[in-house]
Amino acid sequence: MLEFDDAPKGLVRLIYASRAQELGRGGLPEMVRTILLKSIQNNRMAAVTGFLVAGEGRFLQLLEGPAGEVEQTFERIRRDDRHGDVQVISRGAVERRMFRDWNMAQHQIVAADRSVLTKVGLTAFTPDGLDEARAVTLLTTFGAQHLR
């Protein structure tokens, strides 16, 4: 999960932030559940792994895998009506996966997460203003909580 593994040529990592759109009846938790179920299925077939953080009507997500598959996955996300104001935080080649065991896992922001947000200079979950280092810190910190 947070272990690194040797990766094949052409491995990329993409981190983006977006705003949730059209939350619907179950709100953000139901939207995340729906996204997660479909993402696990799609990502498994595409050899894409990653982690999604959601809260306060926003998303921060890391995708990693073969370059073409990550780009196709990201294009689906950009066209998805549930995402608005999509902003790429970082995109580039990497040697190893950060979340190798999760086709997609997630963390939903709760009040207890304020100290983690403060650690990267945020007073609220506003990931669109993060640089790559602070986004990775948030993603790996929240990811580590799910390993306990």
Side-chain angles (χ1 to χ4, degrees), residues 8-40:
K9 284 186 173 182
L11 184 72
V12 299
R13 180 173 303 131
L14 186 145
I15 302 172
Y16 76 90
S18 66
R19 287 185 184 268
Q21 305 290 308
E22 303 177 26
L23 290 177
R25 205 168 184 189
L28 189 62
E30 180 60 24
M31 179 186 283
V32 170
R33 188 186 75 74
T34 303
I35 289 171
L36 195 67
L37 290 173
K38 189 66 174 170
S39 295
I40 289 170

Side-chain angles (χ1 to χ4, degrees), residues 3-132:
E3 272 182 49
F4 291 79
D5 68 340
D6 291 327
K9 284 186 173 182
L11 184 72
V12 299
R13 180 173 303 131
L14 186 145
I15 302 172
Y16 76 90
S18 66
R19 287 185 184 268
Q21 305 290 308
E22 303 177 26
L23 290 177
R25 205 168 184 189
L28 189 62
E30 180 60 24
M31 179 186 283
V32 170
R33 188 186 75 74
T34 303
I35 289 171
L36 195 67
L37 290 173
K38 189 66 174 170
S39 295
I40 289 170
Q41 177 185 9
N42 288 342
N43 293 355
R44 183 176 294 129
M45 296 185 62
V48 171
T49 55
F51 193 70
L52 171 70
V53 178
E56 302 176 28
R58 298 170 190 257
F59 298 112
L60 173 66
Q61 185 168 24
L62 178 147
L63 301 168
E64 52 195 1
E69 299 295 338
V70 168
E71 288 302 321
Q72 286 177 3
T73 299
F74 183 58
E75 277 307 308
R76 271 195 313 273
I77 292 165
R78 287 177 43 148
R79 290 190 310 266
D80 189 327
D81 291 340
R82 295 173 292 191
H83 293 272
D85 300 326
V86 179
Q87 295 181 11
V88 173
I89 294 172
S90 71
R91 170 193 267 142
V94 293
E95 293 185 24
R96 295 180 176 92
R97 292 178 190 255
M98 294 174 66
F99 296 101
R100 73 176 187 185
D101 294 332
W102 292 335
N103 292 110
M104 188 53 58
Q106 62 89 24
H107 175 83
Q108 291 191 47
I109 299 291
V110 295
D113 293 328
R114 294 291 170 223
S115 63
V116 177
L117 297 176
T118 301
K119 181 177 171 180
V120 298
L122 297 178
T123 56
F125 184 59
T126 52
D128 51 318
L130 295 174
D131 60 18
E132 180 180 14

